Amino acid sequence: MPTRDQRPRLPEVSEGQRKARLAWNGGKTGNSRGAADTAVVEACTVQACGTPVTGPRPPAAAMVQVRGSADGAGAHWYCPLRCAAIARAKADLRAIGTGPDGAR
C-alpha cells in the first residue's frame, strides 16, 4: 500500500469535508498572504562600512575589523553591531568545506 505522501489527494466533494477543513484552518479561507517585497539585508548607511582593510587604522571611529574566511577572502572594516555580525556569519559559511560533488 502506498504511503500517505504517495496517495493522490482527493477533492472536497461534500459539505462535511468543507466544514471540517474550515474547522481545521480556524475558519480561514482563500490564498495565503504573498511574500513581503523587502530586502533580506538592507544596505548600511554608515560611511566606509564594508571597505577592505588596507592599514592598521580603521577608516572611521568605532569600526570593527572582520577577518576573511579561510578560502582567501580579505578582511574588511564594518560598523560594530549588525554589519559585523552578518560579515562574521558570511565568513563562517564560506569556511565550510565543500564535498566532492561541490555541495556544502
Side-chain angles (χ1 to χ4, degrees):
M1 176 174 215
T3 64
R4 186 170 190 83
D5 293 335
Q6 296 171 337
R7 286 187 236 156
R9 192 170 192 100
L10 299 175
E12 288 180 9
V13 293
S14 72
E15 184 63 23
Q17 287 174 324
R18 191 182 78 73
K19 286 182 180 178
R21 180 180 51 84
L22 289 175
W24 175 260
N25 292 335
K28 297 177 183 152
T29 61
N31 296 332
S32 60
R33 182 177 61 142
D37 189 23
T38 59
V40 175
V41 179
E42 295 178 7
C44 183
T45 58
V46 176
Q47 190 78 354
C49 183
T51 58
V53 173
T54 56
R57 298 182 54 135
M63 296 297 261
V64 177
Q65 181 179 349
V66 177
R67 288 186 289 174
S69 63
D71 68 352
H76 288 73
W77 294 107
Y78 292 97
C79 55
L81 297 174
R82 185 175 150 271
C83 291
I86 291 170
R88 285 186 189 108
K90 289 170 87 175
D92 289 345
L93 289 174
R94 279 195 305 266
I96 297 172
T98 57
D101 60 351
R104 291 191 181 259

